[in-house]
Amino acid sequence: MNNRGELEIKIEILRKQLYEAYVDNAEYDDLLKIS
């Protein structure tokens, strides 16, 4: 897979992690670590 495809996959994974943390009312510091 090319670099762009790998980067898009990593971004999507992190986006999902951030959203799940937000929905679970994570602390600001936890959200900041993910981002």
Side-chain angles (χ1 to χ4, degrees):
M1 183 177 289
N2 62 22
N3 288 338
R4 181 179 174 160
E6 292 173 15
L7 183 59
E8 288 176 355
I9 290 169
K10 289 178 183 179
I11 290 171
E12 186 62 22
I13 290 169
L14 287 174
R15 186 193 67 77
K16 287 179 181 179
Q17 288 177 354
L18 274 172
Y19 180 74
E20 289 172 8
Y22 170 76
V23 169
D24 291 339
N25 294 318
E27 296 291 322
Y28 176 77
D29 290 339
D30 295 332
L31 294 173
L32 190 58
K33 286 178 189 176
I34 295 171
S35 68

